[in-house]
């Protein structure tokens, strides 16, 4: 249950966006997911889906192809990349990996995976996604739904 407590600590921070029963964590607050989990070296099983959200209008766009997950593994830690035959843009495949299988004791790998992902997402231009570019032009910001 410690996982849920860490996520909830991040979700209640200011500058997040809430709609119905969902909380979307702001770009500036998402780093706290690493900070709070680091206190006890807690490796979390997560599904992180990024969204572009216009806070004023509530306009929301899910960046499904940029989604990542972390799963606890009894085997060695392993980063799972995209299949070679995928049709995703190079911006995605060159900068993020969709999954981390991580041993519970391998907190450094968990921290590095998330840190690299959040940096990559902050620098994404979404050049191959017209809808993303359109919503960015309307003042959208990057948020994350963490499950």
């Amino acid at each position: 249950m410690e996982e849920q407590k860490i996520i909830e600590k991040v979700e209640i921070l200011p500058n997040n966006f809430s709609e119905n029963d969902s909380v979307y964590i702001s770009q500036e607050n998402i780093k706290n997911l690493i900070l709070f989990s680091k206190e006890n070296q807690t490796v979390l099983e997560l599904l992180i889906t990024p969204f572009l959200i216009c806070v004023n209008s509530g306009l929301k766009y899910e960046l499904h192809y940029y989604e990542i997950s972390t799963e606890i593994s009894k085997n060695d830690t392993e980063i799972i990349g995209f299949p070679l035959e995928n049709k995703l843009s190079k911006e995605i495949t060159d900068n993020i990996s969709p999954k981390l299988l991580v041993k519970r004791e391998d907190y450094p790998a968990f921290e590095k995976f998330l840190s690299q992902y959040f940096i990559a997402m902050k620098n994404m231009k979404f050049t191959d996604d017209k809808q993303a570019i359109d919503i960015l032009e309307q003042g959208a910001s990057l948020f994350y739904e963490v499950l």
Side-chain angles (χ1 to χ4, degrees), residues 17 52-60 135-136 138-141 143:
F17 179 79
L52 293 174
I53 300 175
C54 289
V55 175
N56 295 335
S57 67
L59 188 62
K60 186 172 57 178
I135 194 168
L136 282 169
Q138 295 177 47
S141 298
F143 288 83

Side-chain angles (χ1 to χ4, degrees), residues 108-134:
F110 172 77
E111 180 180 9
K112 181 178 179 184
F113 181 78
L114 288 183
S115 295
Q116 289 175 339
Y117 172 72
F118 295 135
I119 289 167
M121 287 304 298
K122 184 177 179 181
N123 295 318
M124 290 286 178
K125 302 291 184 229
F126 309 106
T127 51
D128 292 332
D129 190 333
K130 182 171 176 0
Q131 282 186 286
I133 291 169
D134 288 347

